[in-house]
């Protein structure tokens, strides 16, 4: 049997709540309801799940989804060995067996024929058929399914199927308000609040431009990166250009505007 | 001979009049005023030269105009260039006079004051005249071997345009521009005239090439992003040209129609042109945010000026609190008048004093010693230290400042202007209200004619509408009539496509990438239709050598899945007849025309891709009459029939969007495709004449989006309304784009479609 403890989160992750999400998640977990977390990239979805796993003291198995992933990558497969073949559980199977929270991060990145394998785990059956192995797994009582997805991609090909969506309770995350976000950046990186507030302000500038040439603004994650660079001795303007502006846009007008916002913010 | 005035005339003035010796009655009328000004700026010798030269102009046989203009303009020209500039100018005029170009003298003189203000020095003026002289020599009498008695066709036009030209380009640039005109149109009088009067396209294009500075038209999007990004504001920009107002330099301002800005800004003092625009915008945003208009009637003109200076300082102070980096820009642009620059005995020092105070407030390291300046700068900062302060508080501070610093000489007519103009500030017209002003804006009730036109075609379909107040549907509330769109000339659409041939070519390349390749091989499959030999061999080797082999040794084929049905729903309401707004749209096209181009391109593109595709248009005239106009059905080809309907596109009535979406959806619903996409192209929010509550139709459209989502239809809105941010997200969530620059719609619409479906 797999050692659960290797999947436990040992140290309390720093998580700044934005609302009632902690209590709501606990309630969903108590009923073992599947949870979907919607929100733009880098707004704290993964951090939240980590925090909840720690708080509930349950193992957490995270899978970062991608286009090349097959159902076997989730469920498991036979592998050849010198003296025959051996079955190897995939992460989803492991989670179901040991009673972990299974977190499929950025699920829309996976192909849709891949994601349907989670369906039987997300309704009252709570089972996972391993067709090739001829085994039907009953999920452990502690098992829970969590997915995250970013509805801001604006491509209908990267939208979840209705039949998948309808299986989850959902949280809608967004970037925190200025004050909370300042606190997050400061605590996460150990920079002072004044600097963090400036970074947050630049972040807000970009978010105001959403729909006018930017699909998504500057994420909390990028703000944390910028603060980290500054903390490491990089000149603030350079750090901002490198961590906040260049990654998100190739549009010259937007770049120029954000660069100006940086200069205007750091006198 | 001078005419004998009937009234008494001062003997000195009489002597001057005789010295002038010019008999035109028009001259007699203005002479005294001109002399008064001349006497205040010209030396004794200068006066003699002035009168002597005016005498010459009077007698040279070109009527009264030259002498009149000279008498009126010379004193001010002499102030700019120095009175010693006269001989060179007289010499140049004599050359024109001696040539067949006498007709150019008046335009030359007429523009001289303005050009000299622009050129500023005798040397530059000499360059300018040399340029004009060469121009004259090369274009006089050079027409196809005809005898050399022809005047230069372009020269008078050139002089008329010269103040404008010099505002746009340097002398060097002007020279290039002139050179181009002579080289290409030296032999064509008509075209030469067109070129030098800035009528022809290449003339303007050449000028543009030589132009300096940052042009508003090139940077509107940047400034729009600036307002949105940094200030969460939006506005229309209305450029004013320096061309039409040489004398009163226009000042930025804002009103209901938008923010007025100069069409070009040069870099200055280390501040780039674009940042000068941003400085103006930051200042204006400051007023919009923090200024509350106060009654002007309570204050004297000086007090008002003082209040304006202080209020300007206050809004900038607050703006810098948000963006400290603004200080560098303001400091570089704000004049720093020297403390002793103005002699308050000889000229009015009001502006000088206020500019110093304003500078002292802005610049923490100012060096002014005047106690009042220091005291009031401190009082200003003390007020700001407590919060945002207010326009009223500035007014009180201003009155106190006025009381302490007032002097008799403030009333002198000559005002010290140097270094007192802060050119990124607006004219403050929004700061004042007037007691006697009535409610000027009578609610303008636009009478909408609700004609019940003949309804032809299919029987209506009824749809429910969502009432957000009660959170219920009103069943069978809306009647939708569907009709075939009338037909126009399909060749019109073909012409539009030809017009955009270059764009179409670019799109074609993007489309090719999207096109389904017939068969794709999918490798690395555990189960598949064939063994993938490469991979199988590799696995076998791994296995033999004791490593874990990859079990995914099969491959399969599939036809790549592009299975998307598309519905394009067009808002055809009245507002589309408006001209596409925003500066830079010299084209004068309506939103409808631009939409037509965009839709044609999109239809062409989707046809190339082969996705099932339909187009419908809609407008409404109350809930009883929503029109759905069939333009293209899924089974129809992109042919002349369809193009004809597109060509006849017209706009009228209102926008009951929810009903139209539901109706369009029932067609899309019937399509057998994996993915269903409804694109909605609109220029405004849902509304109708019978619905007062603005939210109602917005909420209904939002509900329609939800219904469609349940049906597996992905809706996406392309919105052309600059104000769309206020409602579009309420309806469409994240599934929308606002196209700020409507001119680019024909390009953006197909690109958006491609991005959405790749
Ligand atoms: N609410 C929050 N509390 C603490 N840190 C946060 C929070 N939101 C964002 N962060 C920071 O932002 C980074 C990115 O968050 P993450 O959870 O990885 O984003 P997502 O999963 O939404 O893409 C985290 O590593 C953390 O530094
Ligand atoms: Mg102002």
């Amino acid at each position: 049997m797999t050692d659960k403890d290797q999947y436990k989160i040992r140290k309390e992750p720093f998580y700044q709540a934005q609302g009632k999400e902690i209590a709501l998640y606990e309630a969903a977990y108590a009923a073992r309801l599947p949870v979907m977390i919607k929100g733009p990239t880098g707004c704290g979805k993964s951090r939240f799940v980590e925090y909840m796993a720690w708080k509930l003291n349950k193992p957490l198995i995270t899978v970062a989804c991608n286009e090349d992933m097959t159902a076997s990558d989730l469920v498991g497969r036979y592998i050849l060995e010198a003296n025959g073949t051996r079955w190897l559980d995939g992460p989803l199977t492991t989670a179901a067996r040991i009673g972990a929270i299974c977190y499929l991060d950025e699920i829309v990145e996976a192909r849709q024929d891949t994601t349907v394998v989670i369906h039987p785990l997300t309704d009252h059956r709570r089972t996972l058929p391993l067709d090739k192995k001829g085994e039907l797994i009953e999920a452990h009582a502690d098992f829970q399914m969590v997915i995250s997805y970013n509805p801001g991609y604006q491509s209908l090909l990267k939208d979840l199927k209705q039949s998948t969506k309808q299986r989850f309770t959902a949280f809608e995350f967004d970037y925190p308000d200025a004050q909370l976000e300042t606190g997050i950046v400061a605590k996460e990186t150990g920079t002072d609040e004044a600097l963090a507030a400036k970074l947050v302000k630049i972040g807000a500038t970009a978010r105001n431009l959403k729909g006018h040439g930017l699909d998504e603004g500057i994420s909390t994650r990028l703000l944390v990166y910028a603060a980290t660079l500054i903390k490491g001795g990089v000149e603030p303007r350079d750090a901002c250009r490198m961590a906040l502006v260049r990654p998100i846009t190739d549009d010259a007008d937007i770049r120029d505007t954000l660069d100006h916002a940086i200069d205007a913010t750091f006198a | 001979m001078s005419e004998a005035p009937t009234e008494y005339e001062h003997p000195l003035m009489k002597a001057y009049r005789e010295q002038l010796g010019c008999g035109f009655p028009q001259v007699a009328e203005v002479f005294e005023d001109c002399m008064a000004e001349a006497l205040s700026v010209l030396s004794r010798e200068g006066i003699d030269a002035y009168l002597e030269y005016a005498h010459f102009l009077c007698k040279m046989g070109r009527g009264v105009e030259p002498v009149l203009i000279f008498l009126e303009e010379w004193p001010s020209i002499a102030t700019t260039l120095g009175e010693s500039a006269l001989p060179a100018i007289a010499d140049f005029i004599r050359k024109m006079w001696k040539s067949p170009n006498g007709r150019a003298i008046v335009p030359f003189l007429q523009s001289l004051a303005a050009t000299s203000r622009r050129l500023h020095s005798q040397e530059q003026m000499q360059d300018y005249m040399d340029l004009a002289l060469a121009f004259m020599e090369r274009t006089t009498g050079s027409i196809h071997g005809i005898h050399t008695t022809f005047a230069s066709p372009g020269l008078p036009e050139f002089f008329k345009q010269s103040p404008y030209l010099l505002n746009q380009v340097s002398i060097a640039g002007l020279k290039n521009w002139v050179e181009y005109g002579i080289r290409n149109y030296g032999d064509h009088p008509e075209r030469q005239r067109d070129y030098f009067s800035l009528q022809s396209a290449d003339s303007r294009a050449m000028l543009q090439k030589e132009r300096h500075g940052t042009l508003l038209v090139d940077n509107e999007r940047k400034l729009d992003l600036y307002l949105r990004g940094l200030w969460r504001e939006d506005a229309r920009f209305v450029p004013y040209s320096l061309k039409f107002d040489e004398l009163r330099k226009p000042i930025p301002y804002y009103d209901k129609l938008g923010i007025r800005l100069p069409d070009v800004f040069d870099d200055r003092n280390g501040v780039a042109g674009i940042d000068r625009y941003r400085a103006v915008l930051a200042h204006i945003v400051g007023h919009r945010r923090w200024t509350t208009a106060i009654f002007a009637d309570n204050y004297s003109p000086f007090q008002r000026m003082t209040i304006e200076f202080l209020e300007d300082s206050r809004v900038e102070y607050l703006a810098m609190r948000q963006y400290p980096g603004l200080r560098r820009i303001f400091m570089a642009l704000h004049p720093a008048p020297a403390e002793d620059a103005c002699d308050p005995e000889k000229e009015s020092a009001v502006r000088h004093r206020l500019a110093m105070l304003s500078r002292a407030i802005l610049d923490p390291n100012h060096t002014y010693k005047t106690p009042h300046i220091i005291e009031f700068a401190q009082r200003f900062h003390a007020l700001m230290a407590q919060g945002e302060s207010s326009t009223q508080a500035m007014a009180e501070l201003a009155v106190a400042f006025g009381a302490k610093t007032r002097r008799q000489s403030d009333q002198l007519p000559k005002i010290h202007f140097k270094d007192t103009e802060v050119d990124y500030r607006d004219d403050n017209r929004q700061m004042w209200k007037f007691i006697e002003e009535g409610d000027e804006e009578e609610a303008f009730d636009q009478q909408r004619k609700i004609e019940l036109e003949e309804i032809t075609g299919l029987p209506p379909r009824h749809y429910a509408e969502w009432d957000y107040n009660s959170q219920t549907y009103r069943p069978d509330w809306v009647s939708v009539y569907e009709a075939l769109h009338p037909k126009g000339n399909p060749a019109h659409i073909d012409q539009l496509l030809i017009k955009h041939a270059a764009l179409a070519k670019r799109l074609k390349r993007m489309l090719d990438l999207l096109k389904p390749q017939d068969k794709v091989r999918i490798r690395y499959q555990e189960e598949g239709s064939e063994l993938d030999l490469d991979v199988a061999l590799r696995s076998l080797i791994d296995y033999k050598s004791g490593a874990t082999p990859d079990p995914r040794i099969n491959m399969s084929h599939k036809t790549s899945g592009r299975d998307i049905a598309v519905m394009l729903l067009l808002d055809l309401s009245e507002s589309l007849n408006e001209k596409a707004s925003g500066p830079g749209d010299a084209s004068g096209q309506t939103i409808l025309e631009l939409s037509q181009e965009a839709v044609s391109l999109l239809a062409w593109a989707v046809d190339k891709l082969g996705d099932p595709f339909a187009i419908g248009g809609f407008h409404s005239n109350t809930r009883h009459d929503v029109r759905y106009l069939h333009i293209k059905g899924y089974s129809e080809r992109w042919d002349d029939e369809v193009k004809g309907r597109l060509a006849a596109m017209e706009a009228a009535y209102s926008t009951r969007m929810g009903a139209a979406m539901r109706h369009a959806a029932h067609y899309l619903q019937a399509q057998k495709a994996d993915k269903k996409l409804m694109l909605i192209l609109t220029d405004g929010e849902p509304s109708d004449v019978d619905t007062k509550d603005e939210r109602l139709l917005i909420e209904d459209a939002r509900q329609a989006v939800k219904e469609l989502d349940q049906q597996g239809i992905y809706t996406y809105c392309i919105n052309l309304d600059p104000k769309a941010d206020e409602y579009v997200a309420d309806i469409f969530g994240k599934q929308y784009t606002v196209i700020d620059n409507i001119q680019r719609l024909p390009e953006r619409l197909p690109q958006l479609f491609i991005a959405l479906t790749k």
Side-chain angles (χ1 to χ4, degrees):
Chain A
M1 187 80 210
T2 326
D3 174 18
K4 294 182 175 214
D5 282 351
Q6 63 171 310
Y7 295 112
K8 289 258 178 83
I9 312 257
R10 259 163 271 270
K11 199 167 146 273
E12 172 173 0
F14 162 59
Y15 178 73
Q16 169 65 56
Q18 291 194 42
K20 296 190 279 186
E21 70 269 28
I22 296 178
L24 288 173
Y25 188 104
E26 283 175 325
Y29 184 81
R32 299 299 183 270
L33 296 177
V35 164
M36 157 161 65
I37 305 171
K38 305 204 269 183
T41 23
C43 72
K45 299 184 295 291
S46 301
R47 177 61 64 91
F48 174 58
V49 176
E50 260 171 60
Y51 174 79
M52 290 313 302
W54 171 84
K55 188 148 199 283
L56 297 165
N57 192 26
K58 299 290 176 243
L60 172 67
I61 296 183
T62 299
V63 182
C65 299
N66 63 65
E67 220 172 347
D68 291 335
M69 207 166 74
T70 64
S72 308
D73 290 326
L74 283 176
V75 172
R77 60 165 55 93
Y78 280 108
I79 55 169
L80 290 168
E81 282 188 338
N83 37 8
T85 56
R86 183 168 68 87
W87 173 260
L88 190 68
D89 280 345
L92 184 64
T93 311
T94 307
R97 283 192 210 278
I98 67 172
I101 294 172
C102 182
Y103 175 45
L104 302 186
D105 196 4
E106 299 288 1
I107 188 156
V108 285
E109 295 293 343
R111 288 202 315 267
Q112 298 199 344
D113 52 330
T114 306
T115 44
V116 291
V117 303
I118 66 176
H119 284 186
L121 277 171
T122 50
D123 52 34
H124 64 281
R125 290 171 281 177
R126 283 176 63 86
T127 53
L128 178 63
L130 306 180
D131 292 338
K132 272 190 221 158
K133 197 162 176 250
E135 181 183 348
L136 183 72
I137 298 179
E138 298 261 339
H140 185 289
D142 286 352
F143 170 80
Q144 188 201 23
M145 191 75 240
V146 180
I147 62 177
S148 80
Y149 109 98
N150 177 356
Y153 273 124
Q154 307 210 328
S155 166
L156 76 158
L157 300 187
K158 286 214 167 153
D159 198 12
L160 274 185
K161 266 188 158 60
Q162 267 301 324
S163 60
T164 306
K165 279 188 197 166
Q166 301 271 2
R167 291 161 180 276
F168 288 85
T169 62
F171 289 95
E172 178 122 35
F173 275 37
D174 204 344
Y175 301 120
D177 68 36
Q179 209 188 338
L180 278 188
E181 197 169 34
T182 303
I184 293 172
V185 174
K187 277 220 200 71
E188 182 80 0
T189 60
T191 47
D192 61 288
E193 298 245 342
L195 173 67
K198 287 188 169 164
L199 296 174
V200 166
K201 181 147 205 177
I202 295 165
T205 309
R207 289 170 204 169
N208 291 340
L209 297 181
K210 207 167 86 181
H212 296 270
L214 279 185
D215 288 340
E216 231 161 66
I218 291 169
S219 66
T220 311
R221 179 186 300 124
L222 290 179
L223 297 180
V224 167
Y225 287 174
T228 308
L229 287 174
I230 297 171
K231 189 108 188 74
V234 178
E235 206 275 319
R237 286 161 220 249
D238 292 339
C240 288
R241 291 197 163 93
M242 174 175 164
L244 304 183
V245 181
R246 298 304 177 270
I248 63 161
T249 185
D250 295 315
D251 178 326
D253 289 344
I254 291 191
R255 201 173 53 217
D256 192 68
T257 302
L258 294 178
D259 283 352
H260 175 81
I262 293 169
D263 291 338
T265 306
F266 290 98
Chain B
M1 274 300 94
S2 73
E3 212 169 68
T6 43
E7 299 147 69
Y8 165 80
E9 187 171 35
H10 193 282
L12 212 62
M13 195 56 83
K14 198 162 172 233
Y16 289 135
R17 205 181 277 278
E18 273 155 14
Q19 194 177 349
L20 172 66
C22 180
F24 291 115
Q26 298 97 314
V27 171
E29 271 168 35
V30 299
F31 183 68
E32 205 158 318
D33 290 339
C34 294
M35 270 321 280
E37 195 189 351
L39 286 167
S40 74
V41 297
L42 299 178
S43 67
R44 180 66 252 172
E45 301 79 57
I47 291 287
D48 284 342
Y50 176 59
L51 291 173
E52 189 184 325
Y53 192 61
H55 176 79
F56 166 77
L57 290 175
C58 180
K59 301 291 167 193
M60 86 177 168
R62 298 220 64 94
V64 66
E65 284 290 304
V67 61
L68 257 187
I69 299 169
F70 177 76
L71 282 173
E72 285 166 4
E73 300 289 341
W74 180 254
S76 105
I77 299 168
T79 330
T80 328
L81 295 180
E83 58 186 42
S84 58
L86 185 54
I89 290 169
D91 185 47
F92 176 65
I93 293 179
R94 198 177 46 80
K95 284 182 178 135
M96 284 193 275
W97 181 52
K98 293 238 158 145
S99 81
N101 291 295
R103 228 170 36 82
I105 293 174
V106 167
F108 170 73
L109 275 172
Q110 189 71 65
S111 58
L112 194 58
T115 42
S116 56
R117 262 197 306 280
R118 189 67 200 173
L119 294 166
H120 236 85
S121 70
Q122 289 188 26
E123 297 84 78
Q124 286 235 68
M125 180 50 81
Q126 192 59 55
D127 290 345
Y128 169 70
M129 290 187 298
D130 289 348
L131 175 76
L133 192 63
F135 180 177
M136 179 174 95
E137 281 164 0
R138 288 171 63 193
T139 51
T140 303
S142 62
I143 308 153
H144 275 319
I146 303 176
H147 210 46
T148 66
T149 48
F150 277 90
S152 160
L155 193 62
E157 303 302 329
F158 168 73
F159 288 136
K160 281 184 211 154
Q161 299 298 335
S162 60
Y164 173 67
L165 292 167
L166 286 168
N167 257 348
Q168 309 301 310
V169 295
S170 60
I171 279 272
L174 185 65
K175 201 165 175 171
N176 295 337
W177 180 78
V178 166
E179 182 62 36
Y180 182 92
I182 297 176
R183 204 153 6 88
N184 288 283
Y185 305 115
D187 288 340
H188 300 277
E190 278 311 316
R191 294 220 223 147
Q192 189 183 124
R193 253 189 296 273
D194 281 352
Y195 181 92
F196 286 103
S197 58
L198 281 167
Q199 301 285 324
S200 64
D202 66 337
S203 152
R204 283 189 302 258
M206 269 310 284
L207 187 65
Q208 206 58 248
K209 233 182 79 190
E210 297 295 339
R211 208 170 165 173
H212 55 91
T214 305
L215 303 187
L216 179 61
V217 283
D218 297 340
N219 288 281
E220 268 175 69
R221 173 151 185 268
K222 250 186 214 176
L223 296 176
D224 180 63
L225 293 170
Y226 174 76
L227 277 188
R228 279 179 203 284
L230 280 81
W231 298 104
R232 290 172 147 275
E233 299 248 352
D234 64 291
R236 251 165 219 191
F237 303 123
V238 187
Y240 51 76
S241 176
L242 302 167
K243 174 171 180 178
F244 300 107
D245 219 336
E246 293 302 325
L247 301 176
R248 275 179 323 107
K249 273 197 267 164
I251 296 175
Y253 68 92
Y254 67 102
D255 59 16
K256 286 197 213 79
L257 296 176
I259 297 179
R260 318 295 171 115
L261 299 165
D263 57 355
V264 54
F265 258 140
D266 276 326
D267 298 358
R268 191 147 66 72
N269 244 358
V271 178
I274 184 75
D275 282 340
R276 291 183 64 189
Y277 278 116
R278 288 177 178 136
V280 176
L281 293 182
H283 180 89
I284 286 179
V285 167
H287 279 307
R288 293 222 281 209
R289 205 163 275 191
W290 294 298
T291 294
T292 332
I294 55 177
F295 282 110
D297 313 61
N298 301 337
Y299 303 99
S300 73
F302 281 157
Q303 285 174 329
R304 274 186 234 167
M305 195 197 292
T306 313
I307 296 170
E308 291 187 12
F309 263 95
L310 283 170
E311 178 69 353
D312 284 341
S313 294
R314 184 177 77 94
V315 299
E316 284 164 20
Y317 186 91
L318 292 169
M320 289 186 291
R321 217 180 244 172
Q322 302 268 321
Y323 293 105
L326 272 174
R327 187 180 299 275
R328 177 190 73 83
I329 298 176
F330 286 149
M331 291 253 290
L333 297 175
H334 192 295
E339 197 152 19
D340 55 2
C342 170
D343 180 352
E345 298 307 319
K346 298 220 181 79
E347 45 190 358
S348 164
V350 181
R351 292 193 60 91
H352 180 248
R353 231 159 33 225
L354 291 172
M356 285 203 297
L357 177 59
S358 175
R359 178 79 202 182
I361 287 172
L362 177 65
D363 181 358
N365 301 316
H366 74 87
T367 53
Y368 296 129
K369 302 277 180 320
T370 315
H372 291 324
I373 299 290
I374 295 170
E375 179 200 332
F376 277 84
Q378 274 165 1
R379 284 173 68 174
F380 173 92
H381 286 291
L383 280 172
M384 297 312 294
Q386 291 163 27
E388 290 184 357
S389 191
S390 66
T391 311
Q392 192 54 47
M394 289 303 115
E396 281 151 27
L397 191 63
V399 170
F401 181 76
K404 281 225 175 150
T405 59
R406 186 168 31 222
R407 347 172 35 129
Q408 197 56 44
S409 62
D410 290 349
Q411 308 286 345
L412 284 177
K414 186 158 184 262
I415 299 171
H416 184 91
F417 255 103
K418 187 170 183 297
D419 288 341
T420 64
E421 282 162 296
V422 189
D423 65 6
Y424 59 82
R425 289 179 176 172
D426 66 312
D427 70 1
N428 286 329
R429 67 181 64 189
Q430 301 291 337
M431 205 167 133
W432 302 109
K433 47 186 179 179
F434 297 90
I435 290 164
E436 68 275 24
E437 218 170 61
D439 227 18
E440 62 179 271
E441 289 161 76
E442 294 274 76
F444 177 68
D445 218 338
Q446 207 187 349
Q447 275 295 329
R448 298 194 84 135
K449 27 183 167 89
I450 304 185
E451 320 145 14
L452 269 170
E453 285 170 33
E454 269 291 282
I455 291 165
T456 50
L458 302 164
R461 283 180 72 107
H462 301 290
Y463 289 93
E465 192 166 274
W466 178 252
D467 177 5
Y468 75 102
N469 291 308
S470 60
Q471 296 284 305
T472 53
Y473 283 101
R474 296 161 160 171
D476 286 348
W477 190 255
V478 185
S479 309
V480 177
Y481 292 84
E482 177 164 347
L484 263 186
H485 199 292
K487 226 189 121 185
N489 181 5
H492 176 58
I493 299 297
D494 287 326
Q495 275 156 20
L496 291 181
L497 290 173
I498 291 167
K499 170 177 163 194
H500 287 289
L503 175 55
K505 212 162 162 189
R506 257 183 292 141
L507 288 172
K508 178 96 175 33
R509 241 172 284 141
M510 297 168 74
L511 291 171
D512 286 343
L513 294 175
L514 282 185
K515 260 215 189 120
Q517 257 79 54
D518 277 327
K519 280 206 165 172
V520 246
R521 185 172 60 161
I522 313 171
R523 303 182 81 172
Y524 300 107
Q525 302 279 295
E526 280 178 59
E527 294 111 55
S529 52
E530 279 170 56
L531 191 70
D532 186 335
L533 220 53
D534 286 349
V535 185
L537 276 173
R538 233 180 292 146
S539 283
L540 192 64
I541 294 165
D542 285 348
Y543 177 53
K544 289 264 156 107
S545 55
T548 310
D550 189 335
R552 296 175 297 175
I553 55 172
N554 287 305
M555 63 181 175
S556 56
H557 296 282
K558 71 169 192 180
T559 31
S560 121
R562 190 180 162 85
D563 192 10
I564 305 171
V566 185
M567 163 63 79
L568 176 61
L569 186 58
L570 305 173
D571 172 356
L572 293 180
S573 62
E574 175 70 39
S575 52
L576 270 87
N577 287 326
E578 279 167 30
K579 291 258 183 293
S581 62
D585 46 291
S587 64
Q589 281 179 295
T590 62
I591 304 177
L592 184 74
E593 286 165 331
L594 284 160
S595 302
Q596 192 179 44
E597 292 183 12
V599 171
S600 305
L601 271 161
L602 179 64
W604 169 85
V606 181
D607 183 61
K608 283 265 167 300
L609 270 173
D611 296 339
F613 180 45
I615 309 175
F618 72 97
H619 50 227
S620 62
N621 190 1
T622 76
R623 71 185 173 94
H624 302 293
D625 184 12
V626 175
R627 304 293 183 85
Y628 180 91
L629 295 156
H630 173 105
I631 297 175
K632 180 184 179 303
Y634 287 104
S635 55
E636 282 174 295
R637 301 259 337 268
W638 169 240
D639 56 12
D640 279 357
E641 194 67 31
V642 171
K643 287 181 193 167
R645 290 182 206 135
L646 261 187
M649 241 164 86
E650 272 179 22
Y653 305 117
S654 312
T655 320
R656 210 172 195 102
M657 193 182 282
M661 285 169 65
R662 292 181 181 100
H663 187 69
H666 94 268
Y667 287 116
L668 185 51
Q669 183 62 16
Q671 287 294 304
K672 271 204 241 45
D674 230 18
K675 299 283 179 184
K676 292 165 191 172
L677 173 64
M678 183 183 295
L679 290 172
I680 296 148
L681 180 64
T682 171
D683 74 325
E685 61 190 290
S687 67
D688 206 346
V689 275
D690 58 350
T691 313
K692 286 252 168 50
D693 178 356
E694 281 179 22
R695 289 284 333 148
L696 199 87
L697 293 179
I698 293 181
E699 294 288 339
D700 174 57
R702 167 199 173 100
Q703 192 68 16
V705 170
K706 282 193 198 158
E707 293 162 24
L708 267 54
D709 185 53
Q710 292 296 320
Q711 298 171 27
I713 293 174
Y714 185 93
T715 46
Y716 193 90
C717 174
I718 296 112
N719 201 308
L720 308 177
D721 176 7
K723 293 233 158 32
D725 292 84
E726 289 161 18
Y727 58 85
V728 67
D730 287 350
I731 304 176
F732 294 97
K734 297 192 167 129
Q735 291 155 210
Y736 71 89
T737 293
V738 179
I739 300 207
D740 304 298
N741 184 350
I742 302 187
Q743 304 299 329
R744 291 184 55 204
L745 180 65
E747 178 183 349
R748 296 280 289 127
L749 184 63
Q751 284 174 353
L752 251 164
F753 172 77
I754 290 172
L756 273 169
T757 61
K758 78 172 169 216

